[in-house]
Amino acid sequence: MKTICLYFEIHQITHLKRYRFFDIGTDHYYYDDYANERSITYIAENSYMPALTAMHEMTKEHPGYFKVAFSLSGVGMEQLELHAPQVLTKLQELNETGQVEFLTEPYSHGLAGLINEESFKRDIEKMSKKIEEYFGKRPTVVRNSSLIYTDDIGAQVASLGYKGMLTEGAKHVLGWKSPHYIYNCSLAPNLKLLLRDVNASDDISLRFNNSSWERYPLFADTYIEEIAKCPESEQVVNIFMELTALGIAQPLSSNILEFLKALPTCAKHAGLEFATPGEICDRFESVGALEVPESLSWVDEERDTSTWLGNQMQREAFNKLYSVADRLHIANDPALLQDWDYLQASNNFRFMTTKPSNCNIDRGIYDGPFDAFTNYMNILGDFISRVRALYGGIDNDQLEQMLTTITNLGKELDVKEKEIQRLQTKLSKLDPDSATRQPEKKPAKKATAKKASAKPKEAAKAEEKKTTQKSENPKAE
């Protein structure tokens, strides 16, 4: 039976304020609180809440049948906690239906996977912990920022113990292959890859309300019919998009939610089913490895990372930011670590792009890419000076030696921990009772000897006392 995997991303931009060169060293707060509150409040009212409410109704109308997945960025969740907590409450209500899966992604919604493995690992694990705290279950599938993927990133994700990852079903990677199968990472065969169906996803997220589109208006039954026509051997149709597609990119007046709510009924009549990414990883086997040596994403025609790192300004800002990554790893300053999360967010680099795009970029306070670059670099200059101030008089060479030592010790501990686990597993196989057997307590011989030697002394003292009493009082006999 052909399976539909429906997934939505929830991320919120943290807007930076206008920050000038003369603010460096005097102002350590970088955010436009008014813009952040206004932006997320608008999105919550016009997209998140109506869309999530509709999906909650769909789970009730189709119990056990309709299923959906979400991934949230950590910085986005922080904005929701501050300005729109009702969105998180609604997500928790959806979670209680048992028909929803929450994935994990970089907490910062950043690009660390392209440059710093330790930062990427920390970002993923931090997000997984937050998801588990909110929804009671640790994620098993990863979705990188903007579906960015390479073979190396896949290997990193697999090393963290995750079983699946989402990415783009781009033609230049797939060639003659179909995105409707499960593949695996070429460097880590145990990591399964779910590929986005570009056309099926963009029909909803980009073209649904386009009156000049040849398939306009799009109805749920014809949409499902196209999916059902796929060859019988093709297993999964992955429909991935941002949640803001429902209500912002495609306004509520376009009847986008009515279209969404009709999908389960039409799919059921066509003999299709819904499943979450984790269920698909468990249910289907990989048909082969997918080789992705160069970066892949779901943005623009090129489907690469050029929208964030395509010009010299972007690369300079990116490299300068991660030049202090290792220093941040050993820092324990909550304010700096929070700023680190916000400054890593990919939208900071996208505002600097000079390439044309099919999707209009709202640059906010910036007049253009050069203005965005200047403002970000001013903030980054202040941030880096604060990071360096943590280490006092330690020069770069000494600090690098310290970082190298810490890194090596960490690796040695990891190796020893794995060796201990291996030996414990081997021991349990040789002797299954060894894991629960309590060590036998040896008798305390020394203590017994002391007590034994103490008895004659006490007896001698008692006899001596008795003799003295007799000599002092002869009549007592």
Side-chain angles (χ1 to χ4, degrees):
M1 183 180 290
K2 197 173 271 69
T3 304
I4 295 175
C5 180
L6 189 61
Y7 152 83
F8 295 96
E9 173 209 5
I10 299 177
H11 167 62
Q12 179 63 29
I13 292 173
T14 302
H15 295 276
L16 302 178
K17 70 179 182 181
R18 179 65 67 182
Y19 195 92
R20 305 191 183 281
F21 177 79
F22 297 103
D23 294 325
I24 298 174
T26 61
D27 183 2
H28 303 319
Y29 192 76
Y30 311 133
Y31 314 107
D32 187 337
D33 293 332
Y34 174 72
N36 287 321
E37 182 176 3
R38 181 184 62 177
S39 174
I40 198 165
T41 299
Y42 176 81
I43 293 173
E45 291 177 356
N46 293 277
S47 173
Y48 291 166
M49 287 306 295
L52 294 174
T53 299
M55 282 183 259
H56 197 196
E57 294 172 0
M58 293 162 71
T59 60
K60 293 179 181 178
E61 292 174 6
H62 307 277
Y65 176 74
F66 173 73
K67 297 180 180 180
V68 64
F70 299 95
S71 73
L72 299 86
S73 69
V75 294
M77 288 186 73
E78 289 183 10
Q79 290 295 313
L80 290 171
E81 289 169 341
L82 287 173
H83 306 301
Q86 69 274 18
V87 175
L88 294 172
T89 300
K90 178 58 70 175
L91 286 168
Q92 288 174 324
E93 291 175 1
L94 271 165
N95 182 54
E96 292 173 0
T97 67
Q99 296 170 231
V100 175
E101 179 180 356
F102 289 92
L103 314 185
T104 193
E105 65 169 74
Y107 190 97
S108 66
H109 198 76
L111 310 173
L114 298 171
I115 191 171
N116 191 291
E117 184 174 346
E118 184 63 25
S119 292
F120 181 68
K121 174 183 175 181
R122 288 169 178 254
D123 237 6
I124 292 290
E125 291 300 290
K126 183 177 180 180
M127 191 68 245
S128 290
K129 184 178 179 181
K130 193 171 184 73
I131 291 294
E132 188 173 11
E133 289 173 354
Y134 260 88
F135 305 110
K137 186 177 180 181
R138 179 178 171 83
T140 59
V141 178
V142 173
R143 180 260 184 203
N144 198 9
S145 310
S146 299
L147 297 189
I148 292 174
Y149 177 80
T150 64
D151 294 332
D152 290 334
I153 290 176
Q156 292 176 44
V157 168
S159 70
L160 297 177
Y162 296 93
K163 64 183 179 183
M165 189 170 183
L166 276 54
T167 189
E168 180 77 340
K171 290 181 180 180
H172 72 275
V173 171
L174 284 170
W176 56 269
K177 298 176 183 178
S178 169
H180 299 157
Y181 294 96
I182 302 302
Y183 297 90
N184 63 267
C185 173
S186 62
L187 299 181
N190 58 321
L191 182 77
K192 295 182 178 178
L193 301 178
L194 283 70
L195 308 186
R196 186 176 86 113
D197 184 311
V198 177
N199 291 328
S201 301
D202 289 351
D203 283 350
I204 299 175
S205 62
L206 297 182
R207 294 183 282 267
F208 183 81
N209 195 43
N210 184 1
S211 58
S212 62
W213 180 36
E214 59 184 10
R215 295 180 62 193
Y216 177 86
L218 181 64
F219 294 102
D221 54 352
T222 56
Y223 181 80
I224 292 296
E225 284 174 9
E226 288 296 318
I227 294 175
K229 287 179 183 177
C230 294
E232 187 65 29
S233 62
E234 297 188 353
Q235 305 163 323
V236 180
V237 178
N238 298 309
I239 303 171
F240 304 159
M241 67 193 78
E242 297 176 1
L243 187 57
T244 52
L246 310 179
I248 303 298
Q250 309 304 321
L252 298 178
S253 59
S254 68
N255 294 321
I256 184 67
L257 294 185
E258 285 69 23
F259 169 85
L260 179 73
K261 288 190 282 188
L263 289 179
T265 300
C266 295
K268 191 178 292 185
H269 289 162
L272 308 181
E273 64 178 353
F274 288 84
T276 64
E279 291 174 337
I280 289 172
C281 288
D282 293 336
R283 190 179 305 171
F284 297 104
E285 294 298 325
S286 168
V287 297
L290 189 72
E291 295 187 2
V292 189
E294 302 295 332
S295 56
L296 171 67
S297 79
W298 70 356
V299 176
D300 292 341
E301 291 295 328
E302 296 86 352
R303 299 291 197 263
D304 58 13
T305 57
S306 58
T307 191
W308 304 282
L309 302 173
N311 63 48
Q312 185 59 39
M313 292 185 300
Q314 293 170 311
R315 291 190 291 272
E316 181 180 346
F318 184 69
N319 291 330
K320 187 169 185 179
L321 173 67
Y322 283 97
S323 69
V324 295
D326 293 337
R327 291 162 173 76
L328 262 297
H329 295 161
I330 59 174
N332 193 26
D333 188 309
L336 275 176
L337 293 174
Q338 185 177 53
D339 290 338
W340 171 245
D341 288 335
Y342 295 149
L343 293 178
Q344 284 187 87
S346 62
N347 52 275
N348 292 314
F349 303 100
R350 193 174 189 188
F351 291 151
M352 304 175 199
T353 186
T354 52
K355 62 177 288 191
S357 174
N358 292 332
C359 302
N360 293 325
I361 300 176
D362 180 6
R363 300 183 196 267
I365 63 172
Y366 305 126
D367 297 329
F370 304 101
D371 188 29
F373 171 73
T374 301
N375 199 72
Y376 184 80
M377 292 302 283
N378 286 341
I379 291 174
L380 194 55
D382 182 78
F383 176 74
I384 290 177
S385 67
R386 290 166 58 205
V387 174
R388 289 174 176 167
L390 288 176
Y391 300 96
I394 301 176
D395 60 34
N396 287 336
D397 291 338
Q398 290 176 316
L399 190 56
E400 289 298 333
Q401 291 176 0
M402 289 172 57
L403 292 172
T404 301
T405 301
I406 292 172
T407 301
N408 292 338
L409 287 173
K411 291 179 179 178
E412 288 180 14
L413 289 173
D414 289 340
V415 170
K416 290 179 179 179
E417 180 66 26
K418 290 179 181 178
E419 181 64 15
I420 290 172
Q421 292 176 355
R422 186 187 69 79
L423 292 173
Q424 288 177 337
T425 303
K426 186 176 181 180
L427 180 61
S428 63
K429 290 180 179 178
L430 294 173
D431 184 3
D433 297 330
S434 63
T436 56
R437 183 185 299 146
Q438 295 293 330
E440 296 181 3
K441 292 184 178 180
K442 295 182 179 181
K445 294 181 179 179
K446 292 183 179 179
T448 305
K450 286 183 179 180
K451 289 181 180 179
S453 62
K455 287 181 180 180
K457 292 182 180 179
E458 291 174 358
K461 287 183 179 179
E463 186 65 28
E464 182 181 352
K465 185 176 180 182
K466 187 176 180 182
T467 305
T468 304
Q469 289 176 346
K470 287 181 180 181
S471 62
E472 291 178 351
N473 190 10
K475 295 180 179 181
E477 294 184 14

